[in-house]
Amino acid sequence: PDNEFLCSLNNENNTERDIQSMGEKLAREVNSYIREWMSHGSLDKISFIGHSLGGIIIRSALPLLEEYKSKMHTFLTFSSPHLGCMYQSSKLVGTGMWFLKMWKKSKCLDQLALSEDDDYSKTFMYKLSQAPGFEWFKNVVLVSSFQDLYSPFESSRIEIFRKASATSTKANVYLRMAENILSRLNAKSLYR
């Protein structure tokens, strides 16, 4: 066949845990799929499509898939908060996320909010911004919508906006994360 598709199921029913562990599970699933379904030498290109947290899980898996970096073709996400959820556009959604973090003890929501450590540079999302992966793709497509109240529009597009250009510690971390990611990308490969 010309194309093979893997619809990942490994993280389907438990997305409240640590994003790094979900990325590890995805990387194992991708490796297993390639070994099982791709005959020796038949793997030409690899593309990923992720929605919301799925896009972040894919990014977390990428460093573990480095052996395929020459095969990476397209990375497409829909409303994935690549710079976290520090700046929520809706107070109602922000309050709901806070409630879920407390009620369900959701590790991934802590990580997306960059609230698992007082030092932002020690948070998972900041470290992920420094991880390799994006630069391997011929095409990086970041789709977002102002109507999506869960994933901040600018975070999904890895863009700087007025609140993030302030001089606060939080704004500086946001800017550094964007720079960490964008500085490794070829501008011709990025589509928003």
Side-chain angles (χ1 to χ4, degrees), residues 139-155:
N139 305 295
V140 175
V141 184
L142 308 173
V143 180
S144 61
S145 169
F146 281 115
Q147 296 165 328
D148 183 338
L149 298 178
Y150 296 104
S151 181
F153 181 78
E154 293 83 0
S155 178

Side-chain angles (χ1 to χ4, degrees), residues 6-189:
L6 165 64
C7 183
S8 177
L9 298 174
N10 272 354
N11 294 303
E12 184 96 5
N13 294 319
N14 191 358
T15 56
E16 267 105 37
R17 60 185 190 278
D18 174 62
I19 298 171
Q20 181 66 43
S21 66
M22 290 187 277
E24 291 166 1
K25 284 182 79 170
L26 176 61
R28 284 192 302 271
E29 186 178 17
V30 168
N31 276 315
S32 175
Y33 187 85
I34 290 171
R35 280 192 307 275
E36 185 174 335
W37 292 99
M38 305 304 297
S39 60
H40 187 67
S42 69
L43 181 62
D44 185 36
K45 297 176 186 173
I46 300 175
S47 294
F48 288 95
I49 300 172
H51 172 253
S52 193
L53 177 60
I56 307 305
I57 294 170
I58 293 167
R59 284 185 48 214
S60 180
L62 290 176
L64 304 172
L65 299 169
E66 189 168 3
E67 67 187 282
Y68 306 112
K69 71 181 182 180
S70 66
K71 308 282 188 187
M72 299 298 181
H73 188 262
T74 299
F75 179 88
L76 168 64
T77 60
F78 297 93
S79 297
S80 293
H82 295 289
L83 299 175
C85 295
M86 293 190 297
Y87 295 103
Q88 282 294 339
S89 59
S90 164
K91 289 185 181 194
L92 181 62
V93 170
T95 302
M97 286 183 69
W98 176 86
F99 178 74
L100 284 172
K101 283 191 309 186
M102 297 301 141
W103 179 52
K104 287 194 162 194
K105 306 294 183 208
S106 176
K107 177 73 172 169
C108 86
L109 287 179
D110 260 348
Q111 291 172 318
L112 290 172
L114 284 80
S115 61
E116 78 270 25
D117 197 295
D118 291 336
D119 181 351
Y120 287 126
S121 67
K122 293 181 181 174
T123 63
F124 174 80
M125 290 300 291
Y126 186 84
K127 291 176 185 175
L128 184 61
S129 77
Q130 298 173 315
F134 264 135
E135 66 275 13
W136 302 336
F137 291 92
K138 181 179 178 184
N139 305 295
V140 175
V141 184
L142 308 173
V143 180
S144 61
S145 169
F146 281 115
Q147 296 165 328
D148 183 338
L149 298 178
Y150 296 104
S151 181
F153 181 78
E154 293 83 0
S155 178
S156 295
R157 294 169 52 96
I158 313 177
E159 288 185 333
I160 308 307
F161 65 113
R162 190 173 47 223
K163 278 186 188 176
S165 59
T167 57
S168 69
T169 301
K170 185 164 111 171
N172 287 333
V173 166
Y174 185 94
L175 293 172
R176 282 197 319 261
M177 288 180 5
E179 174 66 21
N180 290 343
I181 295 168
L182 296 175
S183 66
R184 294 190 311 265
L185 282 177
N186 176 348
K188 292 180 181 179
S189 69

